[in-house]
Amino acid sequence: MVQIFDSLAKRDVELTTRVDGAVSMYVCGPTVYDVPHVGHGRTAVVYDVIRRYLEWIGNDVTFVGNVTNVEDKIIARAAQEGTSERELADRYEAVYWAELDRLNVGRPDAVPRATEFVQPMIDLIADLVDRGRAYVIEGEGVYFSVESYPGYGDLSGRRLSDLLEGAGARVEVDERKRSPVDFAVWKAAKPGEPDWESPWGRGRPGWHIECSAMSLEILGESFDLHGGGDDLVFPHHENERAQAEGAGHAFARHWIHSGMVMVGGEKMAKSTGNFTTLGDALDQYGPRAFRLAVVQVHYRSQMELTATELGAAAEGLLRIDNLLRRAAREGVPDGTPDPGIVTGFRAAMDHDFGTPGAMAAVFDAVRRANSAMDAGDHTAASGFVAAVRSLLDALGFPSVDADAGDDVGEIDALVAEREAARGSRDFARADEIRDELAARGITIEDSAHGTTWHR
RNA sequence: GGUGGCGUAGCCGAGUGGCUCAGGCAAGGGUCUGCAAAACCCUGGACGUGGGUUCAAUUCCCACCGCCACCUCCA
């Protein structure tokens, strides 16, 4: 039984699904107008781990991750670059998936794009208008009437009275809106912007309608789990839910939200410029260290994800990799994952995807595997090594890359030469070779079972 | 101003009303090794401040201080 912290219930609840043994989930993806930064990477890893774990414990998971490809910033950026919105969005979406591939984030089962679902959005808007929950302002578009939907504010914990107080003070309000908090579901066409035909004239969808329409279209009524970054709770998810339920649909059963990446105590954001691109972080520390850094923090917490954290994660990862190399070198047989370790792992994960505790179980297995090998007990070691392999796989860590490269043969030859020198107790020559390799970033490890190296 | 959250050892970061306990990184001391590296063992140090509840609080309650997020597009 998996307990999750449900953002709507605002407490831990049992994850109940529409169909036993199956989980349908929808996670809000990025607006593709620029390259992804490490915050996008964190969110992607978080939901990848959740998806994999739900599958690992035997569920059939349908994972939908959308991409927003029509939006103000895309339009602005395309105009600036003198290209089409379509070309710009396609280009940055390709970068996004390429980086996630490096991270070993599984591709969603479906990737709906806003421009491909305009008709379902129009249908949904028409339902809202029919039910009196949305209304037309000539020349402007169609607006959702917040006060017509009683549940408004439940997800984000906001009261309508507070919202009304805040609105209007901030930006000038169109006098034709029934309430200052009403928001556009359909925006009338403007010159130079992409638009579509609709019952309310040409225009484009409003900010939040795409996710309401696409999630219902693909996953259907009352799908199980809706996720995203916690900066989307308001207004995006609140509005998304209001539109879907306002049109008479049963919407997501559970909501989960992941924490933001911070830089020096401030949220990482494109607008503040305090971001590191995901590509740079992966180039420097590697995708596995990135994944480790992410899972060592609970998904709902804010986290720093800079050189300090990534560097520490890279060191921790090395400890794991050293074990796996050692087990291979010493010929530890395949075994069944140690039940005690697996139980600890599952207990941590079952409680709101407690990946830090899950990693503690993995590191415990690492220590015990090494201890068993130190004692020469390969049978005992095999269960712990198997647990490490199995649990890392469950968390989406790709297996250790073999030390590849053009110079492998040359390095092997040097290592062999050093072995020979050591054999004849010519330690000066042996150390010379080791220094030479160290200068090339290669670490030598001697053991009773021979010498190995890694980069 | 409104709403929500956080403050744990050098750093990152879980967790719990009392039991030797997270875990990772770093530091110190050992074992092993030709020397290293790796590994294992040991060590130190924690729960923002002030009250309260309790036999017992880091854990519950209150106040205060500090920090953050959302309230506008945002993973």
Side-chain angles (χ1 to χ4, degrees):
Chain A
M1 181 178 95
V2 176
Q3 294 266 321
I4 62 164
F5 183 88
D6 186 317
S7 311
L8 181 58
K10 292 165 183 55
R11 60 186 171 82
D12 289 339
V13 299
E14 187 182 347
L15 176 63
T16 58
T17 57
R18 189 171 51 181
V19 177
D20 226 30
V23 182
S24 46
M25 60 190 290
Y26 184 96
V27 175
C28 285
T31 299
V32 283
Y33 72 100
D34 202 348
V35 296
H37 58 57
V38 297
H40 298 107
R42 182 202 185 184
T43 302
V45 168
V46 160
Y47 288 103
D48 184 57
V49 167
I50 289 171
R51 173 197 194 176
R52 285 173 188 275
Y53 183 67
L54 292 172
E55 282 173 347
W56 192 72
I57 59 175
N59 291 291
D60 181 12
V61 177
T62 304
F63 185 99
V64 178
N66 76 299
V67 166
T68 297
N69 65 353
V70 57
E71 194 265 347
D72 293 352
K73 280 200 282 282
I74 292 175
I75 294 167
R77 186 89 178 234
Q80 185 190 322
E81 290 192 17
T83 185
S84 70
E85 293 83 12
R86 176 65 184 269
E87 190 282 324
L88 184 100
D90 285 354
R91 172 154 42 96
Y92 285 118
E93 185 185 332
V95 175
Y96 179 71
W97 294 119
E99 299 295 6
L100 296 202
D101 284 349
R102 290 174 74 191
L103 266 173
N104 200 37
V105 167
R107 292 287 181 106
D109 296 301
V111 181
R113 294 167 191 84
T115 54
E116 296 162 2
F117 286 81
V118 174
Q119 191 55 51
M121 295 185 222
I122 289 172
D123 294 344
L124 190 63
I125 295 166
D127 282 348
L128 287 169
V129 172
D130 286 349
R131 287 166 178 262
R133 290 217 155 97
Y135 56 92
V136 176
I137 297 181
E138 285 305 326
E140 284 297 319
V142 183
Y143 283 78
F144 184 85
S145 169
V146 167
E147 285 172 66
S148 76
Y149 172 64
Y152 197 81
D154 287 352
L155 178 64
S156 59
R158 264 150 245 261
R159 285 187 301 255
L160 200 51
S161 55
D162 293 335
L163 291 168
L164 287 166
E165 226 170 88
R170 212 169 43 244
V171 278
E172 58 181 276
V173 175
D174 189 320
E175 291 301 319
R176 293 166 295 176
K177 277 163 70 169
R178 291 184 192 164
S179 165
V181 290
D182 290 354
F183 55 91
V185 290
W186 186 261
K187 302 170 89 170
K190 288 185 187 144
E193 293 189 357
D195 57 18
W196 288 263
E197 195 54 60
S198 86
W200 317 283
R202 293 196 71 83
R204 63 182 167 105
W207 308 295
H208 315 293
I209 197 78
E210 66 179 70
C211 288
S212 311
M214 296 192 299
S215 59
L216 288 169
E217 182 78 9
I218 297 171
L219 294 173
E221 300 276 320
S222 190
F223 62 91
D224 299 317
L225 194 54
H226 191 128
D230 72 11
D231 54 347
L232 298 182
V233 175
F234 190 89
H236 184 62
H237 287 166
E238 190 70 69
N239 290 354
E240 202 182 313
R241 179 170 177 267
Q243 291 164 157
E245 299 205 338
H249 297 285
F251 207 49
R253 304 166 74 96
H254 300 288
W255 292 81
I256 53 175
H257 291 94
S258 55
M260 295 290 106
V261 168
M262 314 295 282
V263 179
E266 298 287 316
K267 181 179 155 185
M268 179 175 288
K270 277 281 157 50
S271 52
T272 52
N274 64 342
F275 61 91
T276 305
T277 68
L278 181 56
D280 285 349
L282 296 184
D283 286 345
Q284 197 163 357
Y285 299 96
R288 297 167 73 246
F290 187 93
R291 186 172 283 257
L292 180 58
V294 168
V295 300
Q296 283 193 302
V297 179
H298 187 87
Y299 77 88
R300 283 193 285 115
S301 302
Q302 296 176 168
M303 75 177 292
E304 296 277 334
L305 191 50
T306 62
T308 310
E309 293 75 23
L310 289 166
E315 289 302 317
L317 183 67
L318 192 57
R319 180 137 169 268
I320 294 169
D321 289 349
N322 282 335
L323 169 79
L324 297 176
R325 271 194 290 265
R326 181 184 180 189
R329 182 211 310 150
E330 295 193 18
V332 170
D334 287 341
T336 307
D338 179 81
I341 297 292
V342 175
T343 300
F345 176 87
R346 289 194 60 146
M349 290 299 285
D350 282 348
H351 185 214
D352 200 25
F353 311 110
T355 53
M359 276 315 302
V362 172
F363 278 107
D364 192 32
V366 169
R367 198 193 76 254
R368 292 169 73 176
N370 274 312
S371 287
M373 279 189 272
D374 285 351
D377 187 347
H378 284 187
T379 309
S382 71
F384 295 120
V385 171
V388 171
R389 288 216 178 90
S390 162
L391 300 183
L392 287 178
D393 183 60
L395 292 173
F397 286 88
S399 47
V400 203
D401 298 330
D403 281 304
D406 301 339
D407 52 354
V408 168
E410 187 196 343
I411 292 162
D412 284 342
L414 282 168
V415 169
E417 186 189 341
R418 177 170 168 276
E419 279 301 271
R422 288 180 73 220
S424 55
R425 304 192 67 77
D426 179 1
F427 295 122
R429 176 58 186 151
D431 290 351
E432 195 178 80
I433 294 170
R434 183 168 62 198
D435 291 346
E436 191 185 322
L437 290 170
R440 293 163 63 171
I442 288 155
T443 307
I444 290 287
E445 287 172 19
D446 298 325
S447 80
H449 297 267
T451 296
T452 53
W453 62 270
H454 64 88
R455 293 181 204 274

